[in-house]
Amino acid sequence: MKRRKLIWYSLLFTVGCASGINTADDTPDQLAVTAPKKLRFAVTDVTGLEDLQRDFGAFRTALSEVLGIPIEFFPVDNPTAAAPALLSGEVDIVFAGPSEYLVLNARAKAIPVVAIKRINYHSIILVRANSPIKSVSQLKGKTIAMRSIGSTSGHLSPMKLLIDAGLDPNTDFKIVMLNDKGIVALKKGEVDAWAVASDRYQNILASEGLSEQDFSIIVTGPLLPSDVFVVSNQMAADFVETVRSRMMANQDKLIQSLLVAPANQKYQGGQLVRTDDSEYNMIREVYQKLGQGNFLQ
């Protein structure tokens, strides 16, 4: 009997504590109720703990202060490795490029929280200044240097520009992936055109000691989808909304912390915005037209 009474009193105490925790007066911030004790943070295009610390160390500190939760780095081996890590519960929050976001959304049902809208994030296609090529349609039968497979600005968006110009991606031109060395190959005449992000173009010109006068831009694409922060779908909905509202309210601090690293200067002048999944449909469309729609399943 005494044992049953003890259990009953314990249950009453537990319920009473729970009721107290959930009252608006005691805890106006629901983060205190649903937040995990720590968050594990990954970046899809940064591999290795040392690189994460170099490029996102200041941001991790700032985000931890904004959320009031310790944050640990979780290095990934490649841009799509964050998907299984989210599914297995090894990582909680991921910063992803547009194409990586689609993979995380499709394979891990990741929840978009906020995105960083960049003010000068377009794909451009260039030729040599003395090239007879003046339009995208004239690239039929030509060789085009791009950045890397799956890159939003250096592969998928340029492919859309080519497709929109009436070219068949399977037969009408040849693609070579040269990363940032595409500009050197174009200068030497080893390729006929080069596709790159507009903001990245300026940085590469400076690093290679080349001038804009050496090249001619034949097309500039529309503003590209934003890089996005996503969280595991195992997170409580009120916690996700609190993270979103705190990041939005502290966006100046968070963006400034990103800009500490030279690799993140592309976010200069950017702003945090609420995500709209339909913004990424243009990338889904390219995957479909390339016959790779299954990649996003």
Side-chain angles (χ1 to χ4, degrees), residues 28-39:
D29 188 343
Q30 287 298 308
L31 188 65
V33 179
T34 58
K37 293 182 179 180
K38 66 178 179 180
L39 290 172

Side-chain angles (χ1 to χ4, degrees), residues 1-15:
M1 178 65 72
K2 290 181 179 179
R3 177 178 175 83
R4 286 198 297 271
K5 285 183 178 179
L6 179 60
I7 294 174
W8 174 247
Y9 291 145
S10 297
L11 286 171
L12 286 176
F13 177 76
T14 301
V15 171

Side-chain angles (χ1 to χ4, degrees), residues 5 7 16 23 29 36 42 68 78 93 104 110 112 120 149 162 167 174 179 207 214 235 243 246 268 295:
K5 285 183 178 179
I7 294 174
T23 58
D29 188 343
N78 58 70
I93 182 168
L104 297 177
N120 185 30
I149 294 175
L162 291 159
L167 300 181
K174 179 182 178 181
N179 209 318
S207 65
D214 297 322
M235 295 288 183
V243 170
R246 286 195 174 190
Q268 187 75 244
F295 185 70

Side-chain angles (χ1 to χ4, degrees), residues 174-188:
K174 179 182 178 181
I175 297 297
V176 290
M177 297 298 176
L178 299 179
N179 209 318
D180 292 344
K181 296 302 180 184
I183 193 170
V184 176
L186 179 60
K187 178 69 174 176
K188 293 180 177 179

Side-chain angles (χ1 to χ4, degrees), residues 45-117:
D45 64 350
V46 179
T47 59
L49 186 58
E50 183 177 341
D51 289 349
L52 275 171
Q53 182 59 45
R54 180 195 65 208
D55 295 344
F56 288 89
F59 175 80
R60 180 184 68 168
T61 299
L63 184 61
S64 180
E65 291 171 354
V66 166
L67 300 181
I69 301 173
I71 296 177
E72 297 179 356
F73 281 132
F74 184 90
V76 292
D77 294 331
N78 58 70
T80 60
L86 277 169
L87 282 171
S88 65
E90 294 178 281
V91 68
D92 306 297
I93 182 168
V94 180
F95 186 39
S99 60
E100 291 86 2
Y101 159 69
L102 292 183
V103 174
L104 297 177
N105 181 257
R107 299 183 185 179
K109 306 303 178 188
I111 301 171
V113 181
V114 295
I116 299 184
K117 186 175 183 179

